[in-house]
Amino acid sequence: MTAKISYDDVEAGTELPAQTFPVTRDTLVRYAGASGDFNPIHWNEKFAKEVGLPDVIAHGMFTMAEAVRVVTDWTGDPGAVVEYGVRFTKPVVVPNDDKGAVIEVSGKVAAKLDDEARTVRVDLTATSDGRKVLGMSRAVVKLA
Amino acid sequence: MALDQSFVGRSYPATAPYEVGREKIREFAEAIGDAAPAYTDAEAARALGHPDVIAPPTFVFSITFRAAGQVVEDPQLGLDYSRVVHGDQKFVYTRPVRAGDRLTVTSTIEAIKSMAGNDILDIRGEVHDEAGEHVVTAFTKLVARAAGQEG
């Protein structure tokens, strides 16, 4: 485990570099194949609308996967994540146009947890189209 | 109809081992657009102290969710899966999943709650490697919305 961020260099309130992640229908088809989640609400517009959704929506697990990239890109070692949880509050609606949707993620160190284990808690904020799509999005990471 | 509380604490038999392949990890990393070398380059992963390429943190959900199917599809429990949405997800890692792992999952029903006609099911999936060592625990909250409820 070799995180490039040192525990000593961060404090509560330290901000992580924010990132934006584009999502198109193409992205969702790839994610469905890679994850094995073929629920038609993620690729079939007719089906999505029949069950009351505004349009096709991204897999919650896709959004969860993107959000933690703000943490793993920051630490430099994806293996530094010791805990990661989210609540799926609103779906990311992905229209069938050239633009698709964008997930915007920011994060900051909420607390330094353990001086010996060198762990910190990072709180993430993920929004799409101005709406919060994840709640209680928190990761515990072990720093160098 | 509310789910039977007597299922709380019930564990299901460990799944057959899932063998984690390098190319499956690569496919997953590409699907989420993540070019971190630790997912595809064994040398880069070793430089970080891992014995082989590692999987992105949420990769393991594909394995634990399939295992949770034992619970979700248990005819005795009687969950209406057509009304189920994923409420919360959490992972607690002992170490990252890596290529070559042969992982088994033991699923346990942690809690069953009923709120405003919705059934809320908490499933814990303990993931172990071939040596029996703990790798990660997945906590999955599923919400079966009340019949007739829109959106």
Side-chain angles (χ1 to χ4, degrees):
Chain A
M1 213 282 302
T2 318
K4 65 184 178 192
I5 303 291
S6 170
Y7 181 79
D8 303 324
D9 293 342
V10 303
E11 51 196 291
T14 298
E15 291 194 13
L16 282 62
Q19 295 193 55
T20 58
F21 304 102
V23 199
T24 63
R25 294 290 177 86
D26 173 78
T27 317
L28 298 184
V29 171
R30 284 170 197 274
Y31 184 79
S35 68
D37 181 347
F38 296 102
N39 189 329
I41 59 174
H42 305 306
W43 52 268
N44 184 331
E45 198 165 310
K46 177 173 168 285
F47 183 90
K49 287 179 174 168
E50 274 171 10
V51 297
L53 293 165
D55 206 330
V56 161
I57 61 168
H59 304 71
M61 288 306 300
F62 174 82
T63 306
M64 185 177 185
E66 297 302 330
V68 81
R69 288 177 57 190
V70 163
V71 177
T72 55
D73 286 354
W74 178 64
T75 63
D77 180 5
V81 178
V82 293
E83 201 174 306
Y84 177 39
V86 306
R87 174 163 297 166
F88 302 107
T89 48
K90 290 266 190 283
V92 175
V93 179
V94 183
N96 187 23
D97 57 21
D98 296 336
K99 290 184 301 206
V102 173
I103 301 167
E104 296 172 344
V105 184
S106 61
K108 68 175 180 197
V109 174
K112 296 181 85 167
L113 300 178
D114 187 332
D115 291 346
E116 205 145 306
R118 303 177 84 79
T119 47
V120 301
R121 193 185 97 213
V122 173
D123 287 2
L124 295 164
T125 304
T127 60
S128 184
D129 203 18
R131 299 192 312 169
K132 202 169 169 187
V133 293
L134 297 178
M136 301 289 288
S137 183
R138 296 171 166 185
V140 175
V141 285
K142 191 173 167 65
L143 300 180
Chain B
M1 198 181 70
L3 296 175
D4 185 350
Q5 283 290 330
S6 72
F7 278 75
V8 174
R10 180 174 298 206
S11 284
Y12 291 75
T15 56
Y18 174 102
E19 188 165 328
V20 179
R22 284 184 181 200
E23 296 304 331
K24 191 64 193 175
I25 292 176
R26 178 195 302 277
E27 182 189 13
F28 188 89
E30 284 176 357
I32 60 170
D34 194 332
Y39 301 144
T40 51
D41 178 349
E43 278 309 311
R46 278 194 274 273
L48 294 170
H50 307 296
D52 203 330
V53 293
I54 61 171
T58 62
F59 173 89
V60 74
F61 182 75
S62 304
I63 306 168
T64 58
F65 190 63
R66 203 158 63 171
Q70 288 174 296
V71 182
V72 168
E73 290 156 17
D74 182 342
Q76 288 182 297
L77 179 63
L79 186 70
D80 179 357
Y81 192 64
S82 70
R83 294 188 290 115
V84 167
V85 295
H86 196 178
D88 291 40
Q89 183 60 44
K90 182 175 159 186
F91 301 102
V92 178
Y93 306 88
T94 295
R95 67 158 172 88
V97 167
R98 57 188 176 233
D101 272 339
R102 287 170 56 82
L103 303 176
T104 56
V105 187
T106 307
S107 299
T108 301
I109 298 179
E110 280 221 308
I112 294 173
K113 290 182 192 119
S114 191
M115 276 174 67
N118 299 327
D119 284 321
I120 301 164
L121 185 65
D122 286 307
I123 302 169
R124 186 180 80 240
E126 300 274 359
V127 181
H128 291 90
D129 66 16
E130 207 168 16
E133 299 292 326
H134 178 261
V135 178
V136 51
T137 300
F139 298 89
T140 303
K141 188 186 290 290
L142 299 176
V143 181
R145 293 172 302 167
Q149 190 180 323
E150 288 301 315

